[in-house]
Amino acid sequence: QVQLVESGGGLVQAGGSLRLSCAAPRRTIGNVAMAWFRQAPGKEREFVAHLRWSGGSTYYADSVKGRFRMSREKTGNTVHLQMDSLKTEDTAVYYCALQTQGASGYNYWGQGVQVSVSS
């Protein structure tokens, strides 16, 4: 079972920054895309950002556009989510997801990392 490993969460004041990372094992091949989702207490999981493996194009939810930036390392299977100008409403558990070739959606997920933004 492929396990994605997230890191970089924590507590920050509103207006601050955090950088999340997600690493997939090297044995995953044929990556199509990686993404970040988040789930706040009492709410459903929502999409945050998406990166297409080939070409590196990105797509963001309107709520984070202009504040968050997703990128990938040139080698390996690691992506990052740079989160700037954080707001209290960004507080959530953030999940990394991976879509591999042949899958209809994201078929691998991380266990999640807590991001808490205080006022």
Side-chain angles (χ1 to χ4, degrees):
Q1 180 73 20
V2 173
Q3 183 68 53
L4 307 183
V5 179
E6 300 124 330
S7 61
L11 174 64
V12 65
Q13 284 191 326
S17 299
L18 282 174
R19 188 190 194 212
L20 303 183
S21 298
C22 174
R26 289 191 176 274
R27 64 177 178 273
T28 58
I29 58 175
N31 295 345
V32 174
M34 291 186 78
W36 290 95
F37 290 76
R38 67 186 182 186
Q39 187 167 18
K43 295 187 177 181
E44 294 187 352
R45 187 175 298 188
E46 65 175 4
F47 166 79
V48 175
H50 165 105
L51 182 145
R52 187 168 182 83
W53 209 252
S54 176
S57 60
T58 53
Y59 179 78
Y60 301 93
D62 288 343
S63 60
V64 307
K65 200 172 294 183
R67 301 188 297 120
F68 290 12
R69 186 174 68 86
M70 187 174 180
S71 62
R72 60 165 290 194
E73 294 188 357
K74 292 182 179 180
T75 59
N77 289 345
T78 300
V79 296
H80 305 286
L81 184 68
Q82 178 65 39
M83 305 185 294
D84 298 322
S85 302
L86 283 162
K87 305 175 180 179
T88 55
E89 51 263 44
D90 293 319
T91 294
V93 176
Y94 284 69
Y95 297 90
C96 177
L98 166 67
Q99 179 185 10
T100 56
Q101 277 186 349
S104 58
Y106 299 105
N107 50 325
Y108 297 108
W109 291 82
Q111 292 188 323
V113 60
Q114 178 69 46
V115 171
S116 299
V117 184
S118 63
S119 58

